[in-house]
Amino acid sequence: MGNLDDDGNLAHHGGVPIIDFAKWHAGGSQEEKQKIASQLASACQSVGFVFIINHLLPHEKLSEAFAWSKRMFELDQKQKMLAPHPPGHVVHRGYSWPGLEKVSNSMGDEDDPDLIRKLRQVSDVKESYEIGSDDYPEQPNVWLPDHVLPGFREFMTGFYWDSWENAKMILKAMAIGIGLDNEDYFLRYHSGHENQLRLLHYPPVPAANIEDKSMTRMTAHSDWPSITMLFQDDCGGLQIENPNKEGDFIAAEPLQDAIVLNVGDLLQRWSNDTLKSSLHRVTLPPRQDRFTGDENLTRARYSIPYFVCPKGNAVIETIQECVSENKPAKYKPIKWDEYRLMRGSMQYEAPEARTAST
């Protein structure tokens, strides 16, 4: 599968552009790399989402990652709770049970003391396990004991750093694509240690509960960091907002082994809105064979996002090449750690609030 369709236009899958990175890492010329970078930037300016094919992670590695994820979520609850997510939103590691996290598009700076309670009136029916670098003391990992799932930590540590190699390639292409002279512009702000690997499991639920909004998979939101790389199984359910019609969502149907790449809010801010951070959500699978039984239960869905984040003390200022007389700088400088904590405050209840509600 190549980048272009029969008419020479950028190929799409379900409305999402497809970018082929084969020539980027396999000895392609500077001209070929420039073309890939330009296509990537163009797609991220218009849609904010792209499928990346022929990247650095082979099918076998991705299949193994999903197999480990499934094994982890199939552990009984007591075993999973041996690695619990710490209270509050400061440290985002370990196992989050269904209902603990509530994803929203709240910025965290709203003047409404009851907003968190209002957002949590409908729970997200999902569970997750968060993994980071073992050399990042600000966000210490919360690993399952080795005897509970032997080999899990070793594999996921390797997969974390393999994913970072892909991210470095994409950040370089993004810098070239938006016209920066230094392909390492974004890489200078990233070390790889601040990233977050997330294993996600959406258990089966009656479709009627999603339709009547008494339950959600994951509500519409944008991501916070520089970029997100997502790997998804073949269940379906991911939707992105139509770039041409606000409030209308289109299915980002699974494309085997492809990375679903999206621009994060921080990169949109960094680029002075040159790059687009798009709303997306997880809802019912579009295919009818993904439902079973009298209750019309959704099939379980597994996905693995990898959030690419800058160094905690990095000051993110508007890129000067993205500023002009007609487009002045829109955002004030901000440190990533400050931004992360502001956004995270809306997703996890403070420990005292959680205690009071149990």
Side-chain angles (χ1 to χ4, degrees):
M1 184 184 295
N3 274 47
L4 306 179
D5 61 20
D6 293 339
D7 297 322
N9 301 312
L10 197 62
H12 286 66
H13 179 72
V16 179
I18 300 172
I19 311 292
D20 189 337
F21 261 73
K23 291 183 179 178
W24 184 278
H25 58 82
S29 65
Q30 283 302 117
E31 183 180 357
E32 288 170 326
K33 287 185 175 183
Q34 178 65 61
K35 186 175 182 180
I36 293 169
S38 298
Q39 290 172 341
L40 177 66
S42 176
C44 288
Q45 288 167 352
S46 59
V47 182
F49 271 77
V50 299
F51 284 110
I52 292 180
I53 60 172
N54 294 320
H55 46 79
L56 298 175
L57 282 167
H59 171 78
E60 294 75 19
K61 178 74 72 171
L62 293 174
S63 296
E64 192 174 356
F66 278 100
W68 277 112
S69 178
K70 192 170 187 291
R71 268 177 257 162
M72 193 279 297
F73 287 118
E74 286 176 344
L75 295 172
D76 66 45
Q77 197 67 12
K78 286 185 178 180
Q79 290 176 303
K80 289 183 283 191
M81 288 301 294
L82 293 172
H85 188 289
H89 67 279
V90 176
V91 176
H92 202 32
R93 296 291 184 264
Y95 172 68
S96 292
W97 51 96
L100 178 62
E101 182 196 38
K102 177 61 184 179
V103 171
S104 75
N105 207 39
S106 172
M107 292 297 294
D109 57 356
E110 293 85 354
D111 187 19
D112 183 352
D114 290 329
L115 183 57
I116 292 179
R117 179 186 59 80
K118 294 173 185 174
L119 290 171
R120 301 183 73 85
Q121 287 177 344
V122 179
S123 296
D124 289 353
V125 185
K126 68 181 191 309
E127 55 182 342
S128 65
Y129 188 90
E130 322 294 336
I131 300 164
S133 166
D134 279 325
D135 296 316
Y136 184 36
E138 292 85 352
Q139 294 272 320
N141 276 318
V142 183
W143 289 109
L144 289 166
D146 286 339
H147 72 271
V148 172
L149 194 58
F152 174 76
R153 177 174 181 172
E154 180 182 3
F155 177 85
M156 286 300 167
T157 298
F159 188 74
Y160 176 97
W161 290 109
D162 289 343
S163 297
W164 171 231
E165 291 303 312
N166 257 322
K168 288 193 290 186
M169 176 179 70
I170 292 166
L171 288 173
K172 286 187 175 189
M174 196 76 80
I176 294 172
I178 64 171
L180 303 183
D181 292 333
N182 183 1
E183 68 173 18
D184 291 330
Y185 181 90
F186 292 122
L187 276 180
R188 294 181 302 172
Y189 293 84
H190 297 77
S191 72
H193 291 290
E194 293 79 11
N195 302 338
Q196 178 184 326
L197 175 65
R198 160 174 267 206
L199 310 180
L200 266 169
H201 171 227
Y202 300 84
V205 295
N209 291 71
I210 303 296
E211 290 168 337
D212 67 16
K213 300 183 180 179
S214 60
M215 293 180 178
T216 61
R217 288 302 219 188
M218 192 180 290
T219 54
H221 65 285
S222 55
D223 293 342
W224 319 337
S226 301
I227 57 174
T228 301
M229 303 188 308
L230 174 75
F231 305 98
Q232 57 177 337
D233 68 6
D234 65 351
C235 177
L238 175 65
Q239 296 181 340
I240 66 172
E241 188 172 44
N242 186 335
N244 302 312
K245 188 177 180 182
E246 185 176 347
D248 180 49
F249 284 80
I250 57 178
E253 296 192 23
L255 182 61
Q256 187 178 28
D257 296 337
I259 294 172
V260 185
L261 174 79
N262 65 282
V263 173
D265 293 342
L266 192 74
L267 188 54
Q268 175 172 317
R269 181 186 184 112
W270 210 343
S271 68
N272 205 31
D273 291 350
T274 299
L275 300 170
K276 179 181 177 63
S277 178
S278 296
L279 289 176
H280 51 287
R281 66 187 185 186
V282 178
T283 184
L284 295 175
R287 290 176 52 178
Q288 289 306 304
D289 62 356
R290 299 307 192 249
F291 301 89
T292 59
D294 294 337
E295 287 189 287
N296 205 23
L297 288 174
T298 61
R299 202 182 79 182
R301 179 180 187 267
Y302 294 86
S303 66
I304 305 176
Y306 185 81
F307 302 103
V308 180
C309 310
K311 301 169 188 175
N313 62 358
V315 178
I316 305 304
E317 299 183 75
T318 304
I319 299 166
Q320 288 307 301
E321 286 84 347
C322 298
V323 175
S324 66
E325 184 177 346
N326 296 326
K327 191 181 179 184
K330 184 177 178 180
Y331 303 99
K332 295 179 180 178
I334 193 168
K335 286 186 177 180
W336 165 244
D337 268 350
E338 295 172 0
Y339 188 70
R340 174 181 66 82
L341 291 173
M342 178 180 72
R343 296 296 300 272
S345 66
M346 304 306 294
Q347 294 197 187
Y348 285 86
E349 289 182 294
E352 59 272 17
R354 204 165 110 198
T355 301
S357 64
T358 56

